[in-house]
Amino acid sequence: MTDIGYKLICEEHGPNELVDYATLAEQSAFEFAMISDHFHPWTSIQGESPFAWNVIGAIAQATTDLRLGTAITCPIIRYHPAIIAQAAATAGVQLPGRFFLGVGTGEQLSEHILGDRWPEHEIRLEMLREAVDIIRTLWEGTTTSYHGDYYTVENARIYTLPDDLPPIHVAADGPKTAQAAGDIGDGLVAVRPDDTLVDSFETDENETADAPRYAELDICYAEDEQEAIETAHEIWPQAALPGKLMWELATPAHFEQATEAVTADEIAERVVCGPDPEAHISAIQEYVDAGFDHVTIHQIGPNQAEFVEFYENEVIPAIE
């Protein structure tokens, strides 16, 4: 069985809108939601970037059943892992049994802002391993001192802890990171239907055969296909950029320069656009066939209510 989720995109929507959309998702056929956690939008035209943890608290008060997770929090540079341990524990109390923490190695776009060096990916992955260890250690609820290769924690204790600790799901864009996700995480998060990621995540050593595997799909629903393509091209042009650029560019201005040459046709090849339910169902099925059992749908643009109705009536009932 595949669960279909709703992506709350902080880069496109303000905090109050995001709470409204979370409520809308809860009242619909969507099974869960995931919220982005960035300091900057990818490009200035996206126009928003509220603090995700404030929004999570508001969603906790506005909903009663919606499962919610971060996608993705980077607990290694802009945030110290001890701060995320406290933030996620509080979210777990506010959303009892329905919050999960998604973590990853991040993008320079949001992580460089305090003037810290942006390390190569291998170092960031080592930092993430240590960060997750700190989070889990602090979640034991005892006074902790930790002197690692990258982080120091002195005499810290988290007093506000949920009865059930949030699972930690780890984002991966390559086999090495997917294997690390299996080692340190309770689940996998990906943005492409790549079965090699699932295979690398699921090994005999890490016993993750029953762990959830999340993926994200960019779509743009509109009644007119060309309108949807134009909307996606205007608002989400970075969908056509090669993967490594996504992690290395430092500012929205850099993304705007990098996407100047992206055409509407290129976006149409990468983003499911328009009102044909079969196109959406087929794209989701690619993830299912690759081994993902949770697919989060990111609707690009303002037609959120129309998108929810379309998916509830035309798409989700067809997904097994």
Side-chain angles (χ1 to χ4, degrees), residues 232-256:
H233 181 232
E234 178 184 19
I235 296 176
W236 211 251
Q238 78 276 5
L241 293 181
K244 192 167 184 178
L245 278 181
M246 298 291 286
W247 327 135
E248 299 299 332
L249 296 180
T251 68
H254 290 158
F255 275 93
E256 288 155 20

PDB file of all heavy atoms in Angstrom, residues 232-256:
ATOM      1  N   ALA A 232       4.870  26.290 -13.765  1.00  0.00           N
ATOM      2  CA  ALA A 232       6.014  25.543 -13.249  1.00  0.00           C
ATOM      3  C   ALA A 232       7.325  26.161 -13.715  1.00  0.00           C
ATOM      4  O   ALA A 232       8.298  26.254 -12.956  1.00  0.00           O
ATOM      5  CB  ALA A 232       5.920  24.087 -13.682  1.00  0.00           C
ATOM      6  N   HIS A 233       7.357  26.601 -14.970  1.00  0.00           N
ATOM      7  CA  HIS A 233       8.575  27.210 -15.523  1.00  0.00           C
ATOM      8  C   HIS A 233       8.900  28.512 -14.804  1.00  0.00           C
ATOM      9  O   HIS A 233      10.071  28.816 -14.513  1.00  0.00           O
ATOM     10  CB  HIS A 233       8.388  27.456 -17.022  1.00  0.00           C
ATOM     11  CG  HIS A 233       9.577  28.043 -17.690  1.00  0.00           C
ATOM     12  ND1 HIS A 233       9.509  29.176 -18.461  1.00  0.00           N
ATOM     13  CD2 HIS A 233      10.881  27.680 -17.689  1.00  0.00           C
ATOM     14  CE1 HIS A 233      10.706  29.473 -18.925  1.00  0.00           C
ATOM     15  NE2 HIS A 233      11.558  28.583 -18.467  1.00  0.00           N
ATOM     16  N   GLU A 234       7.888  29.285 -14.490  1.00  0.00           N
ATOM     17  CA  GLU A 234       8.108  30.566 -13.821  1.00  0.00           C
ATOM     18  C   GLU A 234       8.520  30.386 -12.361  1.00  0.00           C
ATOM     19  O   GLU A 234       9.449  31.052 -11.880  1.00  0.00           O
ATOM     20  CB  GLU A 234       6.833  31.409 -13.889  1.00  0.00           C
ATOM     21  CG  GLU A 234       6.956  32.746 -13.168  1.00  0.00           C
ATOM     22  CD  GLU A 234       5.664  33.538 -13.151  1.00  0.00           C
ATOM     23  OE1 GLU A 234       4.585  32.938 -13.358  1.00  0.00           O
ATOM     24  OE2 GLU A 234       5.726  34.758 -12.916  1.00  0.00           O
ATOM     25  N   ILE A 235       7.851  29.481 -11.645  1.00  0.00           N
ATOM     26  CA  ILE A 235       8.016  29.394 -10.197  1.00  0.00           C
ATOM     27  C   ILE A 235       9.081  28.379  -9.785  1.00  0.00           C
ATOM     28  O   ILE A 235       9.776  28.586  -8.783  1.00  0.00           O
ATOM     29  CB  ILE A 235       6.666  29.048  -9.536  1.00  0.00           C
ATOM     30  CG1 ILE A 235       5.671  30.184  -9.767  1.00  0.00           C
ATOM     31  CG2 ILE A 235       6.825  28.778  -8.038  1.00  0.00           C
ATOM     32  CD1 ILE A 235       4.284  29.909  -9.248  1.00  0.00           C
ATOM     33  N   TRP A 236       9.254  27.305 -10.531  1.00  0.00           N
ATOM     34  CA  TRP A 236      10.119  26.202 -10.084  1.00  0.00           C
ATOM     35  C   TRP A 236      11.131  25.803 -11.173  1.00  0.00           C
ATOM     36  O   TRP A 236      11.300  24.629 -11.483  1.00  0.00           O
ATOM     37  CB  TRP A 236       9.247  25.014  -9.694  1.00  0.00           C
ATOM     38  CG  TRP A 236       9.822  24.156  -8.605  1.00  0.00           C
ATOM     39  CD1 TRP A 236      10.334  22.901  -8.726  1.00  0.00           C
ATOM     40  CD2 TRP A 236       9.946  24.501  -7.211  1.00  0.00           C
ATOM     41  NE1 TRP A 236      10.761  22.436  -7.508  1.00  0.00           N
ATOM     42  CE2 TRP A 236      10.525  23.400  -6.560  1.00  0.00           C
ATOM     43  CE3 TRP A 236       9.610  25.628  -6.463  1.00  0.00           C
ATOM     44  CZ2 TRP A 236      10.786  23.389  -5.193  1.00  0.00           C
ATOM     45  CZ3 TRP A 236       9.872  25.625  -5.104  1.00  0.00           C
ATOM     46  CH2 TRP A 236      10.446  24.525  -4.484  1.00  0.00           C
ATOM     47  N   PRO A 237      11.846  26.764 -11.766  1.00  0.00           N
ATOM     48  CA  PRO A 237      12.746  26.428 -12.882  1.00  0.00           C
ATOM     49  C   PRO A 237      13.928  25.575 -12.469  1.00  0.00           C
ATOM     50  O   PRO A 237      14.527  24.888 -13.312  1.00  0.00           O
ATOM     51  CB  PRO A 237      13.202  27.806 -13.393  1.00  0.00           C
ATOM     52  CG  PRO A 237      13.131  28.690 -12.187  1.00  0.00           C
ATOM     53  CD  PRO A 237      11.905  28.210 -11.447  1.00  0.00           C
ATOM     54  N   GLN A 238      14.300  25.591 -11.190  1.00  0.00           N
ATOM     55  CA  GLN A 238      15.455  24.806 -10.744  1.00  0.00           C
ATOM     56  C   GLN A 238      15.208  23.306 -10.855  1.00  0.00           C
ATOM     57  O   GLN A 238      16.148  22.513 -10.717  1.00  0.00           O
ATOM     58  CB  GLN A 238      15.859  25.181  -9.316  1.00  0.00           C
ATOM     59  CG  GLN A 238      15.005  24.601  -8.213  1.00  0.00           C
ATOM     60  CD  GLN A 238      13.754  25.431  -7.931  1.00  0.00           C
ATOM     61  OE1 GLN A 238      13.479  26.400  -8.633  1.00  0.00           O
ATOM     62  NE2 GLN A 238      13.008  25.058  -6.917  1.00  0.00           N
ATOM     63  N   ALA A 239      13.979  22.904 -11.139  1.00  0.00           N
ATOM     64  CA  ALA A 239      13.703  21.477 -11.338  1.00  0.00           C
ATOM     65  C   ALA A 239      14.514  20.896 -12.488  1.00  0.00           C
ATOM     66  O   ALA A 239      14.755  19.687 -12.526  1.00  0.00           O
ATOM     67  CB  ALA A 239      12.215  21.256 -11.592  1.00  0.00           C
ATOM     68  N   ALA A 240      14.958  21.749 -13.411  1.00  0.00           N
ATOM     69  CA  ALA A 240      15.711  21.278 -14.570  1.00  0.00           C
ATOM     70  C   ALA A 240      17.216  21.339 -14.366  1.00  0.00           C
ATOM     71  O   ALA A 240      17.972  20.973 -15.278  1.00  0.00           O
ATOM     72  CB  ALA A 240      15.333  22.087 -15.814  1.00  0.00           C
ATOM     73  N   LEU A 241      17.679  21.778 -13.207  1.00  0.00           N
ATOM     74  CA  LEU A 241      19.113  21.881 -12.973  1.00  0.00           C
ATOM     75  C   LEU A 241      19.703  20.529 -12.585  1.00  0.00           C
ATOM     76  O   LEU A 241      19.045  19.728 -11.923  1.00  0.00           O
ATOM     77  CB  LEU A 241      19.401  22.897 -11.866  1.00  0.00           C
ATOM     78  CG  LEU A 241      19.094  24.360 -12.168  1.00  0.00           C
ATOM     79  CD1 LEU A 241      19.476  25.215 -10.968  1.00  0.00           C
ATOM     80  CD2 LEU A 241      19.821  24.843 -13.411  1.00  0.00           C
ATOM     81  N   PRO A 242      20.961  20.286 -12.960  1.00  0.00           N
ATOM     82  CA  PRO A 242      21.635  19.057 -12.509  1.00  0.00           C
ATOM     83  C   PRO A 242      21.730  19.027 -10.984  1.00  0.00           C
ATOM     84  O   PRO A 242      21.839  20.072 -10.329  1.00  0.00           O
ATOM     85  CB  PRO A 242      23.031  19.174 -13.142  1.00  0.00           C
ATOM     86  CG  PRO A 242      22.887  20.151 -14.250  1.00  0.00           C
ATOM     87  CD  PRO A 242      21.798  21.097 -13.848  1.00  0.00           C
ATOM     88  N   GLY A 243      21.713  17.824 -10.428  1.00  0.00           N
ATOM     89  CA  GLY A 243      21.642  17.666  -8.987  1.00  0.00           C
ATOM     90  C   GLY A 243      22.709  18.393  -8.213  1.00  0.00           C
ATOM     91  O   GLY A 243      22.432  19.043  -7.203  1.00  0.00           O
ATOM     92  N   LYS A 244      23.976  18.330  -8.648  1.00  0.00           N
ATOM     93  CA  LYS A 244      25.048  18.909  -7.850  1.00  0.00           C
ATOM     94  C   LYS A 244      24.909  20.419  -7.717  1.00  0.00           C
ATOM     95  O   LYS A 244      25.265  20.995  -6.679  1.00  0.00           O
ATOM     96  CB  LYS A 244      26.409  18.555  -8.445  1.00  0.00           C
ATOM     97  CG  LYS A 244      27.555  18.877  -7.518  1.00  0.00           C
ATOM     98  CD  LYS A 244      28.859  18.252  -7.973  1.00  0.00           C
ATOM     99  CE  LYS A 244      29.954  18.531  -6.944  1.00  0.00           C
ATOM    100  NZ  LYS A 244      31.247  17.913  -7.305  1.00  0.00           N
ATOM    101  N   LEU A 245      24.409  21.091  -8.748  1.00  0.00           N
ATOM    102  CA  LEU A 245      24.205  22.531  -8.647  1.00  0.00           C
ATOM    103  C   LEU A 245      23.249  22.872  -7.510  1.00  0.00           C
ATOM    104  O   LEU A 245      23.400  23.900  -6.850  1.00  0.00           O
ATOM    105  CB  LEU A 245      23.649  23.087  -9.964  1.00  0.00           C
ATOM    106  CG  LEU A 245      24.638  23.381 -11.084  1.00  0.00           C
ATOM    107  CD1 LEU A 245      23.890  23.941 -12.294  1.00  0.00           C
ATOM    108  CD2 LEU A 245      25.714  24.359 -10.635  1.00  0.00           C
ATOM    109  N   MET A 246      22.256  22.021  -7.285  1.00  0.00           N
ATOM    110  CA  MET A 246      21.267  22.289  -6.245  1.00  0.00           C
ATOM    111  C   MET A 246      21.924  22.387  -4.873  1.00  0.00           C
ATOM    112  O   MET A 246      21.478  23.132  -4.008  1.00  0.00           O
ATOM    113  CB  MET A 246      20.217  21.183  -6.220  1.00  0.00           C
ATOM    114  CG  MET A 246      19.422  21.068  -7.516  1.00  0.00           C
ATOM    115  SD  MET A 246      18.326  22.471  -7.782  1.00  0.00           S
ATOM    116  CE  MET A 246      17.059  22.124  -6.582  1.00  0.00           C
ATOM    117  N   TRP A 247      23.002  21.644  -4.656  1.00  0.00           N
ATOM    118  CA  TRP A 247      23.636  21.648  -3.342  1.00  0.00           C
ATOM    119  C   TRP A 247      24.713  22.737  -3.228  1.00  0.00           C
ATOM    120  O   TRP A 247      25.055  23.135  -2.120  1.00  0.00           O
ATOM    121  CB  TRP A 247      24.282  20.294  -3.027  1.00  0.00           C
ATOM    122  CG  TRP A 247      23.585  19.096  -3.590  1.00  0.00           C
ATOM    123  CD1 TRP A 247      24.164  18.043  -4.230  1.00  0.00           C
ATOM    124  CD2 TRP A 247      22.180  18.794  -3.565  1.00  0.00           C
ATOM    125  NE1 TRP A 247      23.215  17.124  -4.621  1.00  0.00           N
ATOM    126  CE2 TRP A 247      21.986  17.569  -4.226  1.00  0.00           C
ATOM    127  CE3 TRP A 247      21.061  19.470  -3.064  1.00  0.00           C
ATOM    128  CZ2 TRP A 247      20.739  16.985  -4.392  1.00  0.00           C
ATOM    129  CZ3 TRP A 247      19.812  18.889  -3.237  1.00  0.00           C
ATOM    130  CH2 TRP A 247      19.666  17.667  -3.881  1.00  0.00           C
ATOM    131  N   GLU A 248      25.221  23.218  -4.379  1.00  0.00           N
ATOM    132  CA  GLU A 248      26.410  24.061  -4.337  1.00  0.00           C
ATOM    133  C   GLU A 248      26.154  25.551  -4.543  1.00  0.00           C
ATOM    134  O   GLU A 248      26.948  26.373  -4.099  1.00  0.00           O
ATOM    135  CB  GLU A 248      27.422  23.575  -5.391  1.00  0.00           C
ATOM    136  CG  GLU A 248      27.888  22.143  -5.180  1.00  0.00           C
ATOM    137  CD  GLU A 248      28.606  21.937  -3.845  1.00  0.00           C
ATOM    138  OE1 GLU A 248      29.199  22.904  -3.339  1.00  0.00           O
ATOM    139  OE2 GLU A 248      28.555  20.816  -3.307  1.00  0.00           O
ATOM    140  N   LEU A 249      25.092  25.948  -5.227  1.00  0.00           N
ATOM    141  CA  LEU A 249      24.841  27.373  -5.446  1.00  0.00           C
ATOM    142  C   LEU A 249      24.445  28.037  -4.130  1.00  0.00           C
ATOM    143  O   LEU A 249      23.736  27.456  -3.315  1.00  0.00           O
ATOM    144  CB  LEU A 249      23.746  27.567  -6.490  1.00  0.00           C
ATOM    145  CG  LEU A 249      24.082  27.072  -7.908  1.00  0.00           C
ATOM    146  CD1 LEU A 249      22.911  27.334  -8.851  1.00  0.00           C
ATOM    147  CD2 LEU A 249      25.347  27.726  -8.440  1.00  0.00           C
ATOM    148  N   ALA A 250      24.878  29.295  -3.960  1.00  0.00           N
ATOM    149  CA  ALA A 250      24.817  29.899  -2.634  1.00  0.00           C
ATOM    150  C   ALA A 250      23.668  30.869  -2.412  1.00  0.00           C
ATOM    151  O   ALA A 250      23.302  31.115  -1.261  1.00  0.00           O
ATOM    152  CB  ALA A 250      26.140  30.618  -2.332  1.00  0.00           C
ATOM    153  N   THR A 251      23.087  31.434  -3.462  1.00  0.00           N
ATOM    154  CA  THR A 251      22.072  32.469  -3.258  1.00  0.00           C
ATOM    155  C   THR A 251      20.940  32.309  -4.261  1.00  0.00           C
ATOM    156  O   THR A 251      21.122  31.706  -5.331  1.00  0.00           O
ATOM    157  CB  THR A 251      22.667  33.882  -3.440  1.00  0.00           C
ATOM    158  OG1 THR A 251      23.013  34.077  -4.817  1.00  0.00           O
ATOM    159  CG2 THR A 251      23.893  34.092  -2.557  1.00  0.00           C
ATOM    160  N   PRO A 252      19.759  32.867  -3.964  1.00  0.00           N
ATOM    161  CA  PRO A 252      18.696  32.876  -4.965  1.00  0.00           C
ATOM    162  C   PRO A 252      19.134  33.528  -6.274  1.00  0.00           C
ATOM    163  O   PRO A 252      18.733  33.081  -7.358  1.00  0.00           O
ATOM    164  CB  PRO A 252      17.580  33.674  -4.280  1.00  0.00           C
ATOM    165  CG  PRO A 252      17.787  33.404  -2.828  1.00  0.00           C
ATOM    166  CD  PRO A 252      19.275  33.370  -2.652  1.00  0.00           C
ATOM    167  N   ALA A 253      19.980  34.563  -6.203  1.00  0.00           N
ATOM    168  CA  ALA A 253      20.467  35.211  -7.427  1.00  0.00           C
ATOM    169  C   ALA A 253      21.264  34.238  -8.281  1.00  0.00           C
ATOM    170  O   ALA A 253      21.164  34.260  -9.521  1.00  0.00           O
ATOM    171  CB  ALA A 253      21.313  36.427  -7.071  1.00  0.00           C
ATOM    172  N   HIS A 254      22.057  33.381  -7.644  1.00  0.00           N
ATOM    173  CA  HIS A 254      22.798  32.376  -8.406  1.00  0.00           C
ATOM    174  C   HIS A 254      21.849  31.400  -9.097  1.00  0.00           C
ATOM    175  O   HIS A 254      22.079  30.996 -10.247  1.00  0.00           O
ATOM    176  CB  HIS A 254      23.744  31.606  -7.478  1.00  0.00           C
ATOM    177  CG  HIS A 254      24.900  32.409  -6.983  1.00  0.00           C
ATOM    178  ND1 HIS A 254      25.596  32.087  -5.839  1.00  0.00           N
ATOM    179  CD2 HIS A 254      25.487  33.540  -7.463  1.00  0.00           C
ATOM    180  CE1 HIS A 254      26.560  32.958  -5.641  1.00  0.00           C
ATOM    181  NE2 HIS A 254      26.505  33.861  -6.618  1.00  0.00           N
ATOM    182  N   PHE A 255      20.784  31.004  -8.398  1.00  0.00           N
ATOM    183  CA  PHE A 255      19.812  30.097  -9.020  1.00  0.00           C
ATOM    184  C   PHE A 255      19.093  30.792 -10.171  1.00  0.00           C
ATOM    185  O   PHE A 255      18.792  30.158 -11.189  1.00  0.00           O
ATOM    186  CB  PHE A 255      18.822  29.587  -7.979  1.00  0.00           C
ATOM    187  CG  PHE A 255      19.316  28.391  -7.212  1.00  0.00           C
ATOM    188  CD1 PHE A 255      19.976  28.551  -6.009  1.00  0.00           C
ATOM    189  CD2 PHE A 255      19.149  27.110  -7.708  1.00  0.00           C
ATOM    190  CE1 PHE A 255      20.459  27.456  -5.303  1.00  0.00           C
ATOM    191  CE2 PHE A 255      19.620  26.007  -7.019  1.00  0.00           C
ATOM    192  CZ  PHE A 255      20.279  26.184  -5.811  1.00  0.00           C
ATOM    193  N   GLU A 256      18.810  32.064 -10.004  1.00  0.00           N
ATOM    194  CA  GLU A 256      18.166  32.805 -11.093  1.00  0.00           C
ATOM    195  C   GLU A 256      19.060  32.857 -12.320  1.00  0.00           C
ATOM    196  O   GLU A 256      18.595  32.682 -13.459  1.00  0.00           O
ATOM    197  CB  GLU A 256      17.800  34.203 -10.605  1.00  0.00           C
ATOM    198  CG  GLU A 256      16.631  34.198  -9.623  1.00  0.00           C
ATOM    199  CD  GLU A 256      16.616  35.395  -8.695  1.00  0.00           C
ATOM    200  OE1 GLU A 256      17.262  36.420  -9.020  1.00  0.00           O
ATOM    201  OE2 GLU A 256      15.958  35.309  -7.629  1.00  0.00           O
TER     202      GLU A 256
END
